[in-house]
Amino acid sequence: MSENVYLCEPATVAETANRYYGGDLTPDSGQVQEACARATAKFRSSIRHHLTEQTGLRLVLDGTGTRYLRLPVLEPVIRSVTVCGALTEPVGVSPYGLLEFSSPLPPTLGAVVVELERCGLEHVPEEVSAAVMVEAVMALGRTPGVQSETVGAVSVSYGATGVVGVREQWQEAVENYRIRVGDRA
């Protein structure tokens, strides 16, 4: 899978945007590609990892002073782990990216280097794809800058309808796939 794959289908975004806003957007149009890219980047930033499959990653992480280390990935397949330059074998690896070691890691910055064969999900989950698709479609329907205008006695306000339900869908998908680290764990 490509590292820059969108978390939603441009064809679905174009079709939905055309249905709701009118127009003749195509999946390969610059507007649709940009909307998909921005919505995907926003989701990945919210969950703090790439989500989809990646290969050959090298992670340099700080030692925790404990026997556990959280990787910023899902479903890691470990190639090698070195702690302070010494090759080390983790006792366990969870699909959620938690490594367990037989002894505590030193509390040293950059002490752990993890080489991954691959990590991430092979397919984008439906709830993620749906939330990102709606975000991309909403971006295509926004009028940048102008929120409302008044001419004489007529006032018009611009905004997306159904934002509350959309935000709940987005938040639920983010919560289900977020890697919890630091003060947000």
Side-chain angles (χ1 to χ4, degrees), residues 39-55:
T40 294
K42 181 179 177 181
F43 191 83
R44 286 181 172 148
S45 174
S46 296
I47 63 172
R48 298 188 205 109
H49 64 99
H50 197 268
L51 185 69
T52 52
E53 191 171 80
Q54 293 180 287
T55 58

Side-chain angles (χ1 to χ4, degrees), residues 41-118:
K42 181 179 177 181
F43 191 83
R44 286 181 172 148
S45 174
S46 296
I47 63 172
R48 298 188 205 109
H49 64 99
H50 197 268
L51 185 69
T52 52
E53 191 171 80
Q54 293 180 287
T55 58
L57 282 183
R58 181 177 191 265
L59 305 171
V60 179
L61 304 162
D62 301 333
T64 60
T66 70
R67 293 181 36 225
Y68 300 95
L69 180 66
R70 165 94 49 207
L71 300 178
V73 298
L74 295 177
E75 298 187 9
V77 176
I78 308 293
R79 180 181 300 144
S80 68
V81 178
T82 57
V83 178
C84 295
L87 196 58
T88 307
E89 188 71 31
V91 174
V93 180
S94 83
Y96 305 107
L98 189 63
L99 299 184
E100 180 182 7
F101 296 89
S102 58
S103 59
L105 297 168
T108 307
L109 300 177
V112 183
V113 177
V114 180
E115 301 274 348
L116 299 172
E117 289 287 333
R118 65 168 257 355

